[in-house]
Amino acid sequence: MATEAQGGDEGGLAFHPMDQFIVTPLFGDGEVGTFTITNVTLWMAIALLAIIALLVLGTSKRETVPGRVQSIAELAYGFVHKMVEDVAGKDGVKYFPYIMTLFMFIVFANFLGLIPTAFTVTSHIAVTGVLALLVFLTVTVLGFVKNGAKFLGLFWVSSAPVALRPVLAIIEIISYFVRPVSHSVRLMGNMMAGHAVMKVFAGFSQVAVIAPVSILAVTAMYGLEVLVAFIQAYVFTILTCVYLKDALHPSH
Amino acid sequence: MATETEQAVEKGAEAAGGPGMPQLDFSTFDNQIFWLLVTLILLYFVLARVALPRIAAILSERQGTITNDLTAAEDLKAKAAEAEEAYNKALADARAEAQKIVAQAKDEIKAELDEEVAKADAEIAEQVAESEKKIAEIRESAMESAKEVAKDTAKELVAAMGAEADGRTVTAAVNQRLKG
């Protein structure tokens, strides 16, 4: 705050770390309606096209000895497939396309968001919230469809002393319903915080004296954010697998 | 914090007066959710219908190729082992055959040799017998001659003594003496 005031004195040092998250229409300056084509639309479309370029165009030659792009596509496939198989079990593999969709979308949105001036769709709670809610609803419905009332056994810790079980059940139920919140806020918070911090550091570079430090800091943050972009996608996906496992095998 | 909020409000005519965080500007939620669902549905169908089956096919095909190659290699290895075994067997057979031939030849030569030896032995025995017969004949004739000479000598001796020698008595005496 002090810096900002001082900056004002020096001539227009302004911080707008959150402006990068504003949803704006691509064409014109009108209101953002439900079907308005906005920067959200643009960057989701770019993510979609990039994924298609990698997974569809990259594998179009169907080479037995893969080239670079096909190798990456196969790597992504193998990575998620193995994750689903290891965490959710053999019967979880049926839901692999769904999990692959989530992973590819998040990882591409995260990485594309790191391009300067890009818009990071995964830094919005509206987006991550829907992703998490979709997982939550799917998993809950799946749990009841597959196991019936036995799915409630997930909340009844049969290995605990009888007296403790009702208490644990309440805790389990609360933690179950908190899942979509933590699931979505974790991703959104990580993406938003990293980008905002980078913007703040970038803002400091307006002052010549600290510009080298701030540029160094932005570079370091950028490296960290590249890591975070992948790790958060991985965390989101592996948690989805864990929830899926709970739905398929609710016993503790 | 206050300044940030002010800024956002200042800037945020287009953010519809958001409270500092555009993420909490609920007026854009429907837009984001709409486009997110569109993207996810498109992405899901592209992945489930095209990309993932194709990659799975590529991977299983590669696995198949590798397995086939391994099997082929295994086959070739087995064939090589078989060939080696056949070669060894042929070698052993040839060796046995050679040994057999050698033994046969040895036997033949031995048989021939034995025959020759037997023939020679027989010939020698025949010759020996003949020689013995001849010797016996010679001895017989020598004995006869000796008898004749002895008779004649005895007759002459008797005559010289002055007695009339009866031929028959002299002969008998000589014979008796030669036998004795």
Side-chain angles (χ1 to χ4, degrees), chain B:
Chain B
M1 205 54 182
T3 329
E4 252 175 58
T5 317
E6 265 168 43
Q7 260 181 358
V9 171
E10 215 177 294
K11 184 87 187 166
E14 64 222 327
M21 271 174 70
Q23 279 86 350
L24 297 179
D25 178 3
F26 294 102
S27 68
T28 63
F29 270 35
D30 50 350
N31 180 275
Q32 295 187 54
I33 291 167
F34 169 72
W35 289 115
L36 174 67
L37 293 179
V38 169
T39 311
L40 281 186
I41 290 166
L42 284 177
L43 186 58
Y44 180 79
F45 277 100
V46 169
L47 289 191
R49 292 282 157 84
V50 186
L52 301 184
R54 186 188 289 173
I55 296 175
I58 291 169
L59 290 180
S60 70
E61 198 177 297
R62 179 173 311 145
Q63 198 56 49
T65 310
I66 290 170
T67 314
N68 281 349
D69 285 0
L70 283 180
T71 317
E74 203 75 24
D75 277 1
L76 288 177
K77 207 172 159 192
K79 261 184 205 161
E82 217 169 87
E84 201 190 340
E85 202 175 304
Y87 166 76
N88 280 338
K89 202 173 162 247
L91 203 66
D93 280 357
R95 227 172 240 155
E97 188 78 9
Q99 253 160 16
K100 217 162 88 186
I101 288 169
V102 166
Q104 205 174 329
K106 238 185 215 165
D107 283 355
E108 259 168 39
I109 289 167
K110 205 178 168 198
E112 222 166 274
L113 203 67
D114 283 354
E115 204 177 305
E116 289 294 319
V117 166
K119 220 163 140 193
D121 278 356
E123 245 166 59
I124 289 166
E126 204 176 303
Q127 270 173 16
V128 164
E130 210 169 299
S131 303
E132 263 169 11
K133 213 166 114 199
K134 267 185 193 156
I135 289 168
E137 255 167 46
I138 289 166
R139 189 180 280 165
E140 192 92 358
S141 65
M143 191 67 87
E144 208 67 30
S145 304
K147 220 188 260 180
E148 208 71 29
V149 170
K151 259 186 243 169
D152 285 349
T153 312
K155 256 184 218 165
E156 288 302 317
L157 275 178
V158 169
M161 297 276 223
E164 194 68 25
D166 183 7
R168 207 171 282 167
T169 317
V170 170
T171 306
V174 167
N175 277 351
Q176 203 164 347
R177 228 358 121 101
L178 280 173
K179 261 176 207 165

Side-chain angles (χ1 to χ4, degrees), chain A residues 32-84:
Chain A
V32 175
T34 307
F35 308 114
T36 314
I37 295 176
T38 57
N39 46 2
V40 178
T41 322
L42 174 70
W43 286 99
M44 282 185 184
I46 291 174
L48 182 62
L49 292 177
I51 296 169
I52 289 174
L54 174 64
L55 292 185
V56 178
L57 303 182
T59 59
S60 58
K61 284 194 228 154
R62 298 163 184 267
E63 294 162 313
T64 310
V65 180
R68 280 182 212 170
V69 183
Q70 194 183 315
S71 284
I72 297 171
E74 285 172 13
L75 209 68
Y77 180 99
F79 178 68
V80 180
H81 196 271
K82 190 171 181 302
M83 198 196 304
V84 175

Side-chain angles (χ1 to χ4, degrees), chain A:
Chain A
M1 226 69 83
T3 328
E4 206 168 325
Q6 192 193 339
D9 293 341
E10 278 178 23
L13 177 62
F15 290 91
H16 303 295
M18 304 307 274
D19 282 6
Q20 58 177 325
F21 303 120
I22 294 171
V23 177
T24 53
L26 273 191
F27 311 105
D29 279 334
E31 279 281 298
V32 175
T34 307
F35 308 114
T36 314
I37 295 176
T38 57
N39 46 2
V40 178
T41 322
L42 174 70
W43 286 99
M44 282 185 184
I46 291 174
L48 182 62
L49 292 177
I51 296 169
I52 289 174
L54 174 64
L55 292 185
V56 178
L57 303 182
T59 59
S60 58
K61 284 194 228 154
R62 298 163 184 267
E63 294 162 313
T64 310
V65 180
R68 280 182 212 170
V69 183
Q70 194 183 315
S71 284
I72 297 171
E74 285 172 13
L75 209 68
Y77 180 99
F79 178 68
V80 180
H81 196 271
K82 190 171 181 302
M83 198 196 304
V84 175
E85 204 173 352
D86 288 353
V87 178
K90 287 262 184 236
D91 40 354
V93 172
K94 210 166 36 167
Y95 309 100
F96 164 65
Y98 181 61
I99 292 168
M100 184 73 175
T101 304
L102 288 177
F103 177 75
M104 291 314 285
F105 176 73
I106 295 170
V107 89
F108 268 81
N110 287 357
F111 277 127
L112 287 169
L114 282 173
I115 298 171
T117 74
F119 178 80
T120 318
V121 291
T122 40
S123 66
H124 273 262
I125 190 70
V127 172
T128 61
V130 168
L131 290 174
L133 270 177
L134 281 176
V135 171
F136 179 76
L137 290 176
T138 314
V139 160
T140 308
V141 169
L142 202 67
F144 279 113
V145 168
K146 288 264 170 188
N147 306 292
K150 261 199 273 175
F151 182 58
L152 293 171
L154 186 63
F155 308 115
W156 197 251
V157 188
S158 48
S159 57
V162 183
L164 273 178
R165 281 183 205 172
V167 183
L168 285 175
I170 293 168
I171 296 171
E172 287 283 335
I173 288 170
I174 291 171
S175 84
Y176 187 80
F177 282 97
V178 168
R179 274 179 183 182
V181 178
S182 63
H183 205 187
S184 57
V185 170
R186 182 181 302 111
L187 176 57
M188 168 264 183
N190 270 287
M191 297 320 293
M192 185 197 72
H195 286 254
V197 167
M198 274 199 281
K199 263 281 158 60
V200 170
F201 279 134
F204 276 119
S205 67
Q206 293 170 92
V207 183
V209 187
I210 47 173
V213 180
S214 99
I215 288 168
L216 215 69
V218 170
T219 313
M221 273 307 293
Y222 194 91
L224 185 68
E225 282 307 298
V226 170
L227 217 68
V228 168
F230 177 77
I231 289 170
Q232 286 307 317
Y234 175 71
V235 166
F236 193 97
T237 317
I238 204 158
L239 281 175
T240 305
C241 292
V242 170
Y243 299 160
L244 185 64
K245 191 208 98 196
D246 280 349
L248 297 173
H249 314 284
S251 52
H252 273 277

